[in-house]
Amino acid sequence: MSDKKEKKKRDSEDKSKVTKEKEEKEEDDGGSYLEAKKYISEIASPLATEKLTKKCFKLVKKSSKIKKTRRGVKEVVKAIRKSEKGICILAGNISPIDVISHIPVLCEENGIPYIYVPAKEDLGASALTKRPTSCVLIPAKVASDDEYNEKATEIIKGIQDLTPST
């Protein structure tokens, strides 16, 4: 009997440690944007602000849930060449950057708004994958979801504000 009680006590202590670690991690997320910003490439422009980055990640997550996301360089390039429209989100900490350096050119030629976010790990997590993701193409409009369309429009406006007009 005492073994069971001890085991329950240890389990509850372990659970409390895990919840404390999660809380500390959530508190620490405020600095993760600044931490990730240290490792971005020189050509990662326009770089999303912290607020726009969070909006992008939320929209990518929502897009992934409805199975409308294109993940990875190969899929994104293929979709752009097939004239799929949407928003292209690129990770700024890809090494070597040559892997994705041609995608902004393709996006500009096809009139697709694009933006860089600081971390490939966060982009992969928001795309509901366990692997880091270098780039994602999400649709700008989904026929059945007005809330999604509003958020996509907000992100496009944010990208246009950050992009210098030529």
Side-chain angles (χ1 to χ4, degrees):
M1 277 288 248
S2 64
D3 289 339
K4 288 182 181 180
K5 287 181 181 179
E6 287 177 25
K7 187 177 179 183
K8 281 185 180 181
K9 187 176 179 181
R10 275 187 271 136
D11 287 345
S12 65
E13 287 174 1
D14 289 343
K15 286 179 184 177
S16 64
K17 285 180 185 177
V18 170
T19 52
K20 285 180 184 177
E21 288 173 4
K22 282 183 182 177
E23 288 172 4
E24 288 173 5
K25 189 176 181 183
E26 287 173 7
E27 290 172 11
D28 191 38
D29 280 347
S32 67
Y33 177 83
L34 298 174
E35 184 67 30
K37 202 172 171 183
K38 293 177 186 176
Y39 302 105
I40 61 169
S41 174
E42 293 293 322
I43 69 165
S45 176
L47 182 66
T49 61
E50 188 170 2
K51 189 175 181 181
L52 187 58
T53 300
K54 287 181 181 178
K55 285 182 181 180
C56 287
F57 289 156
K58 285 180 183 177
L59 197 65
V60 169
K61 185 175 262 185
K62 195 165 195 171
S63 174
S64 294
K65 284 182 181 177
I66 58 174
K67 309 282 188 211
K68 298 285 184 183
T69 306
R70 304 279 182 236
R71 299 180 195 98
V73 177
K74 192 174 178 182
E75 254 187 86
V76 169
V77 169
K78 185 177 173 183
I80 292 172
R81 289 203 173 129
K82 287 185 174 184
S83 300
E84 282 188 32
K85 296 295 179 189
I87 304 166
C88 188
I89 302 170
L90 304 156
N93 65 344
I94 299 298
S95 179
I97 196 68
D98 297 343
V99 173
I100 60 167
S101 61
H102 63 287
I103 294 176
V105 176
L106 287 173
C107 289
E108 287 177 7
E109 287 175 354
N110 291 299
I112 296 172
Y114 67 93
I115 193 154
Y116 286 88
V117 293
K120 61 186 176 185
E121 295 81 10
D122 295 337
L123 186 58
S126 67
L128 303 177
T129 61
K130 293 177 183 175
R131 304 275 304 156
T133 303
S134 56
C135 57
V136 170
L137 183 71
I138 57 175
K141 291 184 180 176
V142 175
S144 61
D145 197 348
D146 291 334
E147 183 184 342
Y148 178 92
N149 295 340
E150 285 178 25
K151 289 181 179 181
T153 307
E154 283 179 34
I155 290 174
I156 291 171
K157 285 181 184 175
I159 292 171
Q160 289 170 347
D161 291 344
L162 290 173
T163 308
S165 58
T166 54

